[in-house]
């Protein structure tokens, strides 16, 4: 999909979702945190999710951003300490009640990581392990590809393409009528890289369409390129956000 097609899709999704009695469902997630002291830290966390659900197709599209700003109150200097943008589209083609075929596309640009950008795509088979009113859990696996670019110590750019094996798990556990725990895990393993992403969240409904969410995100790269700057293999983010469904 080229850039023009992608922009047209993003533009069309909200307008399509406004129609009543359609299989479209939208969710906006906003988080803001301000810490005061010798330094002033401002945290912005945003996400938009669009879901299309029918008997034969389940499609989930999401875009997200994470920005951290730090201000030294003594000198009034400002500095970004985190800036990340991501886009994901997952399609499930339902075969039977418990079996499906999936395709997944994920792209991420993190200005403070060891990679300029990362793109992964995968296709494969998935199975619902549990699918009832209390617990929903599915597993999936299949082949895919990973494309990334990383800055090098000599200021050049290294581009890498490789085949990967993609595995994933999605869990939703209903704690009560107004609260649920969810966890989504993906793992991609190739010849040169192994990447794990995990999002665990506790969501509580406070109004009919408004919820509060506490989430923890973990991203772990077993191997990171040498950029000439200290880099960590694991990145942890904890957020408190408000969500609105429409």
């Amino acid at each position: 999909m080229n850039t023009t097609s992608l922009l047209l899709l993003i533009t069309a999704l909200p307008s399509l979702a406004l129609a009543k009695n359609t299989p479209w469902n939208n969710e906006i997630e906003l988080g803001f945190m301000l810490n005061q002291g010798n330094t002033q830290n401002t945290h912005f966390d945003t996400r938009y999710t669009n879901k299309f659900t029918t008997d034969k197709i389940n499609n989930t599209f999401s875009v997200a951003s994470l920005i951290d700003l730090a201000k030294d109150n003594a000198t009034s200097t400002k500095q970004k300490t985190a800036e990340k943008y991501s886009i994901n589209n997952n399609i499930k083609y339902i075969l039977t009640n418990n079996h499906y075929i999936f395709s997944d596309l994920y792209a991420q640009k993190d200005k403070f990581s060891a990679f300029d950008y990362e793109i992964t795509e995968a296709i494969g088979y998935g199975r619902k392990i549990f699918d009832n009113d209390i617990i929903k859990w599915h597993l999936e696996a299949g082949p895919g590809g990973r494309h990334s670019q990383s800055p090098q110590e000599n200021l050049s750019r290294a581009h890498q393409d490789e085949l990967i094996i993609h595995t994933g798990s999605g869990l939703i556990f209903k704690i009560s009528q107004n609260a649920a725990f969810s966890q989504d895990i993906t793992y991609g393993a190739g010849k040169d890289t192994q990447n794990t992403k995990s999002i665990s969240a506790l969501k509580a409904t406070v109004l009919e369409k408004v919820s509060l969410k506490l989430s923890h995100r973990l991203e772990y790269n077993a191997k990171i390129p040498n950029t000439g700057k200290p880099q960590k293999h694991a990145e942890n983010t904890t957020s408190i956000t408000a969500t609105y469904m429409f």
Side-chain angles (χ1 to χ4, degrees):
M1 180 181 291
N2 57 36
T3 304
T4 302
S5 300
L6 182 58
L7 290 175
L8 289 174
L9 175 61
I10 295 173
T11 304
L13 283 175
S15 60
L16 288 171
L18 291 177
K20 295 182 179 179
N21 301 321
T22 72
W24 298 93
N25 181 274
N26 297 271
E27 183 177 85
I28 295 177
E29 185 174 333
L30 300 173
F32 173 80
M33 188 177 295
L34 179 64
N35 297 325
Q36 296 275 8
N38 293 325
T39 60
Q40 176 179 299
N41 294 85
T42 309
H43 172 94
F44 300 94
D45 193 352
T46 61
R47 178 179 296 269
Y48 166 74
T49 303
N50 178 278
K51 294 184 179 181
F52 176 81
T53 305
T54 67
D55 293 338
K56 292 298 182 182
I57 296 177
N58 294 344
N59 187 86
T60 301
F61 169 83
S62 65
V63 289
S65 66
L66 173 66
I67 298 176
D68 277 330
L69 297 174
K71 177 183 177 181
D72 191 318
N73 289 330
T75 62
S76 296
T77 57
K78 296 181 180 180
Q79 182 180 3
K80 285 184 179 179
T81 56
E83 186 175 2
K84 179 188 295 185
Y85 307 95
S86 64
I87 182 171
N88 179 238
N89 196 80
N90 181 278
I91 305 177
K92 293 179 173 61
Y93 302 93
I94 309 302
L95 302 177
T96 66
N97 289 338
N98 295 321
H99 305 269
Y100 63 89
I101 296 173
F102 76 91
S103 66
D104 187 86
L105 174 65
Y106 180 85
Q108 174 178 288
K109 183 175 181 62
D110 187 346
K111 295 187 177 181
F112 287 82
S113 77
F115 300 93
D116 290 330
Y117 65 81
E118 298 174 82
I119 301 173
T120 60
E121 69 276 343
I123 58 173
Y125 164 78
R127 174 175 170 80
K128 296 178 182 178
I129 308 301
F130 295 103
D131 188 16
N132 54 58
D133 294 337
I134 301 299
I135 183 171
K136 299 180 185 296
W137 182 32
H138 70 262
L139 298 174
E140 58 188 35
R146 183 176 185 272
H147 321 278
S148 62
Q149 180 174 283
S150 58
Q152 300 298 294
E153 195 169 4
N154 60 3
L155 302 182
S156 64
R157 290 291 190 270
H159 182 81
Q160 185 179 42
D161 299 300
E162 65 175 335
L163 296 175
I164 64 170
I165 295 297
H166 166 93
T167 59
S169 169
L171 171 70
I172 299 176
F173 177 71
K174 192 172 183 179
I175 301 173
S176 68
Q177 192 67 26
N178 298 316
F181 171 80
S182 64
Q183 185 176 64
D184 292 295
I185 301 174
T186 60
Y187 174 73
K191 179 181 178 181
D192 298 315
T193 59
Q194 293 84 42
N195 176 270
T196 303
K197 292 182 176 71
S198 171
I199 302 178
S200 303
L202 181 63
K203 186 176 181 180
T205 303
V206 292
L207 295 173
E208 181 181 0
K209 296 183 178 181
V210 179
S211 302
L212 293 178
K213 180 194 265 187
L214 173 64
S215 62
H216 176 261
R217 303 173 193 172
L218 168 66
E219 182 171 354
Y220 181 83
N221 283 293
K223 183 180 179 181
I224 55 178
N226 181 15
T227 63
K229 299 179 181 180
Q231 297 284 351
K232 295 183 178 180
H233 290 272
E235 180 179 335
N236 293 274
T237 305
T238 301
S239 300
I240 300 176
T241 57
T243 68
Y244 176 71
M245 297 182 63
F246 61 98

